[in-house]
Amino acid sequence: MIINTGYGHGGDVYSQPIRLDFSANVNPFGPPEPVKAAVRAAADQVSAYPDPYCGPLRDKLAALNGVARKDVICGNGAAELIYQFIGALRPKKALLPVPSFSDYEGALAAAGCAPTFYPLRRERGFLLTEDVLAHISPETDLLLLCSPNNPTGRSVPRGLLLSILDRCRETGTWLFLDECFLELTDEDKAFSLADRLRDGDRVFLLRAFTKAYGMAGLRLGYGLCKNRELLDRMCRLVQPWNVSTLAQAAGLVALDCLDWPEKARRLIQKEKPWLCGYLTALGFEVLPGDANYLFFSGAPGLYEKLRARGVLIRDCANYRGLQPGDCRIAVRTRRENEELLRAIQEALDV
């Protein structure tokens, strides 16, 4: 629960009347019908405590990802796992490319770590380049990456990601890689390190059901890691029963709906260039990202004008390294996208 602190994320449809939410990058089709049915059925079990080990869910995730059950950890959303991981690791020196998801910095601050920021340059399209390798040293306890990155949508190129993995192994640096947007990423850029993990590796891969399966309200994330010591420390930091019965039931059924993210990806691959073209025609500078959202610049005050019209986008001015006029929008259905563009045009005409 948030008490007397700022809420710096998208998806806040509760504090104001919102008819269109483009600020949260979830599957535009929402959750699959079998997932909704599973949640309704699981309601009959809520008088019992949830499975504290998430046993069947971890078994299924392990089989799908080619790892052992002991290599899978589940959490109350990906955000919990970020804080849990950093709280268990307690790094002294962390390297954080920015702009990126704010909770990485928040979790580091909670653990008493002031990171070294590696700026992603606007003039380079916010792409991570090989220059980052020189900044990873034996003194670097942790490198945090998000691919595709939030909010820019840029993926770490496959070759560079493998070079970073090799470099982190050489220096003994932990690599935390957020792959939460991977399943809705352009297919040629959707590259995971899951099949590159080794026993004892200092690598943690973060995943979530939030984006691919439209399950933001259920809070279900998971991590893949082959370092038993780190996972044990993480488990000691979290309360028992942190993943609800409803979330576990939904996750099990979602994993039987493997075509659901693909259905959304087909829509996104059609709608994203269409939406990009219209935004460019309106005078915005649009970044050619790989994810199910678009980052664009050029209209300070647009967020407030759209919010007054019941349309929510992500104002990115509070991201480290960004500025007023930087925005992010989800890619949704054609009808919704058309309605968004009409609202933007109205806001620009004021």
mmCIF file of all heavy atoms in Angstrom, residues 9-27:
data_model
loop_
_atom_site.group_PDB
_atom_site.id
_atom_site.type_symbol
_atom_site.label_atom_id
_atom_site.label_comp_id
_atom_site.label_asym_id
_atom_site.label_seq_id
_atom_site.Cartn_x
_atom_site.Cartn_y
_atom_site.Cartn_z
ATOM 1 N N HIS A 9 4.368 5.473 -11.371
ATOM 2 C CA HIS A 9 4.187 4.463 -12.411
ATOM 3 C C HIS A 9 2.936 4.769 -13.234
ATOM 4 O O HIS A 9 2.171 5.683 -12.927
ATOM 5 C CB HIS A 9 4.061 3.072 -11.788
ATOM 6 C CG HIS A 9 5.244 2.673 -10.970
ATOM 7 N ND1 HIS A 9 6.436 2.295 -11.528
ATOM 8 C CD2 HIS A 9 5.423 2.621 -9.616
ATOM 9 C CE1 HIS A 9 7.316 2.008 -10.571
ATOM 10 N NE2 HIS A 9 6.719 2.207 -9.398
ATOM 11 N N GLY A 10 2.720 3.960 -14.268
ATOM 12 C CA GLY A 10 1.488 4.060 -15.021
ATOM 13 C C GLY A 10 0.394 3.217 -14.372
ATOM 14 O O GLY A 10 0.586 2.572 -13.341
ATOM 15 N N GLY A 11 -0.786 3.235 -14.995
ATOM 16 C CA GLY A 11 -1.869 2.379 -14.544
ATOM 17 C C GLY A 11 -2.712 2.906 -13.408
ATOM 18 O O GLY A 11 -3.556 2.172 -12.876
ATOM 19 N N ASP A 12 -2.515 4.168 -13.017
ATOM 20 C CA ASP A 12 -3.316 4.709 -11.916
ATOM 21 C C ASP A 12 -4.663 5.197 -12.461
ATOM 22 O O ASP A 12 -4.843 6.376 -12.783
ATOM 23 C CB ASP A 12 -2.579 5.846 -11.230
ATOM 24 C CG ASP A 12 -3.367 6.398 -10.042
ATOM 25 O OD1 ASP A 12 -4.348 5.751 -9.635
ATOM 26 O OD2 ASP A 12 -2.995 7.472 -9.537
ATOM 27 N N VAL A 13 -5.612 4.264 -12.545
ATOM 28 C CA VAL A 13 -6.949 4.583 -13.053
ATOM 29 C C VAL A 13 -7.941 4.776 -11.902
ATOM 30 O O VAL A 13 -9.152 4.793 -12.122
ATOM 31 C CB VAL A 13 -7.455 3.473 -14.001
ATOM 32 C CG1 VAL A 13 -6.560 3.381 -15.226
ATOM 33 C CG2 VAL A 13 -7.513 2.129 -13.275
ATOM 34 N N TYR A 14 -7.415 4.940 -10.688
ATOM 35 C CA TYR A 14 -8.269 4.992 -9.510
ATOM 36 C C TYR A 14 -8.423 6.402 -8.947
ATOM 37 O O TYR A 14 -9.452 6.726 -8.356
ATOM 38 C CB TYR A 14 -7.711 4.066 -8.424
ATOM 39 C CG TYR A 14 -7.523 2.650 -8.914
ATOM 40 C CD1 TYR A 14 -6.267 2.190 -9.299
ATOM 41 C CD2 TYR A 14 -8.615 1.790 -9.037
ATOM 42 C CE1 TYR A 14 -6.097 0.894 -9.773
ATOM 43 C CE2 TYR A 14 -8.457 0.506 -9.514
ATOM 44 C CZ TYR A 14 -7.195 0.058 -9.887
ATOM 45 O OH TYR A 14 -7.034 -1.213 -10.380
ATOM 46 N N SER A 15 -7.422 7.242 -9.119
ATOM 47 C CA SER A 15 -7.466 8.562 -8.487
ATOM 48 C C SER A 15 -8.116 9.617 -9.373
ATOM 49 O O SER A 15 -8.227 10.771 -8.961
ATOM 50 C CB SER A 15 -6.039 9.012 -8.119
ATOM 51 O OG SER A 15 -5.231 9.088 -9.269
ATOM 52 N N GLN A 16 -8.555 9.218 -10.582
ATOM 53 C CA GLN A 16 -9.178 10.158 -11.503
ATOM 54 C C GLN A 16 -10.022 9.374 -12.506
ATOM 55 O O GLN A 16 -9.760 8.195 -12.747
ATOM 56 C CB GLN A 16 -8.103 10.954 -12.246
ATOM 57 C CG GLN A 16 -7.142 10.067 -13.008
ATOM 58 C CD GLN A 16 -5.733 10.608 -13.053
ATOM 59 O OE1 GLN A 16 -5.469 11.688 -12.583
ATOM 60 N NE2 GLN A 16 -4.830 9.852 -13.633
ATOM 61 N N PRO A 17 -11.027 9.988 -13.087
ATOM 62 C CA PRO A 17 -11.840 9.271 -14.080
ATOM 63 C C PRO A 17 -11.049 9.048 -15.373
ATOM 64 O O PRO A 17 -10.591 10.004 -15.997
ATOM 65 C CB PRO A 17 -13.018 10.233 -14.322
ATOM 66 C CG PRO A 17 -12.981 11.222 -13.202
ATOM 67 C CD PRO A 17 -11.568 11.325 -12.780
ATOM 68 N N ILE A 18 -10.880 7.792 -15.740
ATOM 69 C CA ILE A 18 -10.102 7.435 -16.935
ATOM 70 C C ILE A 18 -10.941 6.500 -17.810
ATOM 71 O O ILE A 18 -11.458 5.489 -17.333
ATOM 72 C CB ILE A 18 -8.783 6.734 -16.550
ATOM 73 C CG1 ILE A 18 -7.867 7.693 -15.783
ATOM 74 C CG2 ILE A 18 -8.069 6.205 -17.797
ATOM 75 C CD1 ILE A 18 -7.402 8.905 -16.552
ATOM 76 N N ARG A 19 -11.066 6.850 -19.094
ATOM 77 C CA ARG A 19 -11.800 5.986 -20.017
ATOM 78 C C ARG A 19 -10.867 5.185 -20.917
ATOM 79 O O ARG A 19 -11.249 4.135 -21.446
ATOM 80 C CB ARG A 19 -12.756 6.823 -20.877
ATOM 81 C CG ARG A 19 -12.097 7.907 -21.718
ATOM 82 C CD ARG A 19 -13.125 8.790 -22.432
ATOM 83 N NE ARG A 19 -12.500 9.905 -23.126
ATOM 84 C CZ ARG A 19 -12.009 9.838 -24.361
ATOM 85 N NH1 ARG A 19 -12.075 8.692 -25.035
ATOM 86 N NH2 ARG A 19 -11.460 10.887 -24.936
ATOM 87 N N LEU A 20 -9.642 5.661 -21.106
ATOM 88 C CA LEU A 20 -8.652 4.963 -21.923
ATOM 89 C C LEU A 20 -7.310 4.983 -21.202
ATOM 90 O O LEU A 20 -6.795 6.056 -20.876
ATOM 91 C CB LEU A 20 -8.480 5.633 -23.281
ATOM 92 C CG LEU A 20 -9.451 5.316 -24.416
ATOM 93 C CD1 LEU A 20 -9.079 6.142 -25.637
ATOM 94 C CD2 LEU A 20 -9.437 3.837 -24.750
ATOM 95 N N ASP A 21 -6.756 3.805 -20.941
ATOM 96 C CA ASP A 21 -5.464 3.738 -20.256
ATOM 97 C C ASP A 21 -4.393 3.242 -21.231
ATOM 98 O O ASP A 21 -4.350 2.063 -21.565
ATOM 99 C CB ASP A 21 -5.544 2.826 -19.041
ATOM 100 C CG ASP A 21 -4.222 2.757 -18.280
ATOM 101 O OD1 ASP A 21 -3.347 3.619 -18.544
ATOM 102 O OD2 ASP A 21 -4.060 1.848 -17.450
ATOM 103 N N PHE A 22 -3.544 4.153 -21.671
ATOM 104 C CA PHE A 22 -2.400 3.815 -22.516
ATOM 105 C C PHE A 22 -1.097 3.880 -21.728
ATOM 106 O O PHE A 22 -0.026 3.799 -22.306
ATOM 107 C CB PHE A 22 -2.327 4.773 -23.714
ATOM 108 C CG PHE A 22 -3.204 4.374 -24.863
ATOM 109 C CD1 PHE A 22 -4.553 4.658 -24.844
ATOM 110 C CD2 PHE A 22 -2.682 3.696 -25.961
ATOM 111 C CE1 PHE A 22 -5.379 4.295 -25.901
ATOM 112 C CE2 PHE A 22 -3.496 3.323 -27.020
ATOM 113 C CZ PHE A 22 -4.848 3.621 -27.002
ATOM 114 N N SER A 23 -1.192 4.028 -20.417
ATOM 115 C CA SER A 23 0.004 4.176 -19.595
ATOM 116 C C SER A 23 0.576 2.846 -19.132
ATOM 117 O O SER A 23 1.742 2.782 -18.731
ATOM 118 C CB SER A 23 -0.320 5.033 -18.369
ATOM 119 O OG SER A 23 -1.190 4.346 -17.474
ATOM 120 N N ALA A 24 -0.216 1.788 -19.157
ATOM 121 C CA ALA A 24 0.228 0.461 -18.716
ATOM 122 C C ALA A 24 0.349 -0.452 -19.933
ATOM 123 O O ALA A 24 -0.592 -0.581 -20.719
ATOM 124 C CB ALA A 24 -0.759 -0.119 -17.710
ATOM 125 N N ASN A 25 1.499 -1.096 -20.077
ATOM 126 C CA ASN A 25 1.803 -1.845 -21.296
ATOM 127 C C ASN A 25 1.436 -3.323 -21.178
ATOM 128 O O ASN A 25 2.275 -4.202 -21.292
ATOM 129 C CB ASN A 25 3.290 -1.710 -21.626
ATOM 130 C CG ASN A 25 3.736 -0.272 -21.623
ATOM 131 O OD1 ASN A 25 3.119 0.573 -22.252
ATOM 132 N ND2 ASN A 25 4.800 0.021 -20.893
ATOM 133 N N VAL A 26 0.156 -3.582 -20.950
ATOM 134 C CA VAL A 26 -0.289 -4.965 -20.817
ATOM 135 C C VAL A 26 -0.894 -5.447 -22.130
ATOM 136 O O VAL A 26 -1.161 -4.663 -23.037
ATOM 137 C CB VAL A 26 -1.319 -5.107 -19.675
ATOM 138 C CG1 VAL A 26 -0.707 -4.686 -18.353
ATOM 139 C CG2 VAL A 26 -2.570 -4.292 -19.964
ATOM 140 N N ASN A 27 -1.091 -6.753 -22.219
ATOM 141 C CA ASN A 27 -1.694 -7.368 -23.401
ATOM 142 C C ASN A 27 -2.996 -6.635 -23.750
ATOM 143 O O ASN A 27 -3.885 -6.509 -22.902
ATOM 144 C CB ASN A 27 -1.976 -8.846 -23.100
ATOM 145 C CG ASN A 27 -2.385 -9.637 -24.326
ATOM 146 O OD1 ASN A 27 -3.248 -9.222 -25.102
ATOM 147 N ND2 ASN A 27 -1.786 -10.801 -24.494
#
